[in-house]
Amino acid sequence: MNLFNVYPLYDVTPVKAEGTYVWDENNTKYLDLYGGHGVISIGHAHPQYVAALSEQLNKIGFYSNSVQNPLQQQLAQKLGEVSGCEKYNLFLCNSGAEANENALKLASFVTKKSRVISFNNAFHGRTSAAVAVTDNKSINAPINLQQKVTFLPLNNIKLVIHEIGKGDVAAVIIEGIQGVGGLDQGTAKFFKKVRKVCKKSKVPLILDEIQSGYGRSGKFFAFQYHNIKPDIITTAKGMANGFPIGGVLISKKYKAKLGMLGTTFGGNHLACAAAISVLDIIEKENLIDNVNEVYNYFLKEIKTVPKVKKVKGKGLMLGIEFNFDVGELRKKLIYDKHIFTGGSNNKKLLRILPPLTITKEQINDFIIALKEIVS
Ligand SMILES: Cc1ncc(COP(=O)(O)O)c(C=O)c1O
């Protein structure tokens, strides 16, 4: 059997990883400024994380959601404490798309409505409702086009008010900071106004923090820069450092009904142990402070690199915009300098999403490599 060929691949085969580095089968060492697409939060193969998973696997790795699993409550408690979102309930699933799918479904259950407001260039995943609210026609199949979605430009509150005023809106969904779309974000003023209009019209506001959450922006969740409280928050990527998991944080005003949402694998013992360990390490190693320190250092140093047009994003969710397509630059970084980076819909944007443990010295290595290539 062959693989269903859907991914454009770099010709690199990682076989080992530690901290901020990855090694291929020829023992070549790469600096990981991509974190497997913003997934590696506490660094690769963190010894405490490896021990927590191994210990859990030796006890019980999985049982279904038909029996008690105290690790789920432990995770909910810890996530509430570390994120400052104690006043939410948690639904556990397996991926980002699944988190958004459940968030949208819940909003539709609550409002009994079905049209969703999303934003230009949004990416929310590939499953049914999640892909329908994703602004990319090429990944929407005819079956997804049945969903009622209105895409609006970011930062145009008048249009949001106008659409909500029609009375048929089930949810507004927005990324804390856009990821795949190219690191654009709503202004604080816009987020605050959207919050207000959603509240007034009883439309659930869903904050997609799948990529921007878990400390990546320099706050636990990126929306925390704007002093707002969403009704629903979705999270995934950094949550368990690569072990598949997703979470939906749900305002306590929305009451659960038995059977309303569900999944076989979501919240299994191993996933919970991984996610608890990640939160322990984020807290113990003050990783969010590190994100802010390294970010400030990066902002200073990137000014010394020629041809940089703009820096976008926050914390360790960053885009460096050049006035040329970065495809060749990314190839040179990976094959000549052995540095992993990311791309986006904006072909001129080099994206970096490193583990939150990255040091200033490692950022410096990147800056030196970048200068050597672009100068
Ligand atoms: C903002 C955002 N939402 C949702 C998703 C989908 O997550 P997953 O690939 O885990 O389904 C992604 C993935 O890149 C994302 O960046």
Side-chain angles (χ1 to χ4, degrees):
M1 193 186 291
N2 283 321
L3 295 173
F4 196 59
N5 188 11
V6 291
Y7 299 110
L9 301 177
Y10 282 109
D11 192 15
V12 178
T13 311
V15 293
K16 186 177 85 166
E18 195 184 311
T20 329
Y21 294 104
V22 170
W23 285 262
D24 70 11
E25 79 274 44
N26 304 316
N27 214 25
T28 304
K29 185 178 173 185
Y30 296 81
L31 177 61
D32 185 9
L33 296 190
Y34 182 55
H37 204 79
V39 166
I40 302 301
S41 43
I42 56 167
H44 294 277
H46 192 295
Q48 189 184 322
Y49 170 86
V50 173
L53 260 95
S54 312
E55 201 184 304
Q56 187 59 50
L57 191 54
N58 278 311
K59 285 196 231 156
I60 177 169
F62 174 83
Y63 205 80
S64 88
N65 279 315
S66 62
V67 293
Q68 300 290 328
N69 177 357
L71 291 172
Q72 293 187 354
Q73 185 52 47
Q74 208 179 312
L75 170 57
Q77 170 93 19
K78 183 98 200 163
L79 177 53
E81 281 164 21
V82 180
S83 67
C85 294
E86 288 98 338
K87 292 189 181 137
Y88 289 77
N89 290 320
L90 178 65
F91 175 74
L92 290 164
C93 52
N94 308 285
S95 70
E98 199 185 344
N100 283 336
E101 198 73 28
N102 280 288
L104 290 163
K105 193 173 182 180
L106 177 66
S108 181
F109 269 135
V110 167
T111 57
K112 301 191 172 49
K113 293 172 184 169
S114 59
R115 187 163 66 101
V116 178
I117 293 181
S118 181
F119 293 90
N120 294 351
N121 249 341
F123 185 88
H124 296 294
R126 303 213 176 223
T127 56
S128 168
V131 79
V133 297
T134 289
D135 185 18
N136 182 345
K137 285 202 172 58
S138 70
I139 62 168
N140 268 276
I143 198 171
N144 308 120
L145 300 175
Q146 301 169 45
Q147 221 92 38
K148 287 183 263 172
V149 185
T150 304
F151 291 99
L152 298 179
L154 276 175
N155 298 324
N156 188 331
I157 192 63
K158 278 197 182 140
L159 287 178
V160 176
I161 293 170
H162 176 73
E163 289 301 330
I164 287 184
K166 294 180 181 171
D168 62 343
V169 175
V172 173
I173 185 163
I174 183 166
E175 286 157 274
I177 300 172
Q178 288 191 336
V180 179
L183 281 306
D184 287 313
Q185 51 188 306
T187 61
K189 193 169 152 202
F190 181 68
F191 272 103
K192 281 200 179 85
K193 289 202 167 157
V194 171
R195 171 62 292 183
K196 209 166 144 194
V197 64
C198 283
K199 190 171 181 184
K200 197 166 147 224
S201 314
K202 294 197 167 55
V203 172
L205 172 61
I206 304 172
L207 245 299
D208 179 339
E209 292 277 353
I210 283 157
Q211 191 168 138
S212 54
Y214 266 77
R216 183 155 294 284
S217 74
K219 299 240 184 226
F220 194 90
F221 289 124
F223 72 78
Q224 290 168 329
Y225 279 99
H226 314 312
N227 209 10
I228 58 161
K229 289 196 171 33
D231 300 304
I232 303 175
I233 305 158
T234 53
T235 174
K237 293 193 188 296
M239 199 173 173
N241 209 44
F243 197 96
I245 190 170
V248 189
L249 283 69
I250 301 164
S251 161
K252 290 197 173 158
K253 71 184 168 210
Y254 303 140
K255 300 294 168 219
K257 275 197 215 131
L258 294 184
M260 188 185 204
L261 307 175
T263 149
T264 297
F265 294 115
N268 68 71
H269 298 72
L270 208 47
C272 286
I276 293 166
S277 174
V278 163
L279 288 169
D280 280 340
I281 293 164
I282 286 180
E283 205 178 23
K284 204 170 88 191
E285 298 187 3
N286 297 314
L287 290 186
I288 301 184
D289 289 346
N290 187 59
V291 171
N292 288 307
E293 265 177 49
V294 173
Y295 174 46
N296 287 331
Y297 181 76
F298 170 86
L299 286 180
K300 202 157 51 81
E301 293 304 311
I302 196 69
K303 289 192 182 127
T304 65
V305 179
K307 300 183 188 159
V308 173
K309 216 176 110 195
K310 199 172 175 187
V311 173
K312 297 174 81 178
K314 271 204 176 89
L316 292 176
M317 184 169 174
L318 293 168
I320 308 165
E321 194 169 26
F322 292 90
N323 47 17
F324 54 84
D325 282 11
V326 296
E328 278 308 305
L329 170 61
R330 285 186 67 203
K331 276 190 195 155
K332 282 184 182 152
L333 280 166
I334 196 164
Y335 296 128
D336 302 347
K337 304 292 181 185
H338 304 134
I339 299 176
F340 285 165
T341 57
S344 78
N345 289 351
N346 174 353
K347 298 293 167 232
K348 298 189 160 95
L349 197 76
L350 183 70
R351 209 140 65 104
I352 73 162
L353 300 159
L356 310 183
T357 51
I358 195 165
T359 63
K360 290 179 193 164
E361 290 71 30
Q362 288 161 340
I363 288 291
N364 207 35
D365 292 343
F366 167 59
I367 298 283
I368 292 168
L370 206 50
K371 276 186 196 165
E372 280 172 7
I373 300 173
V374 298
S375 293

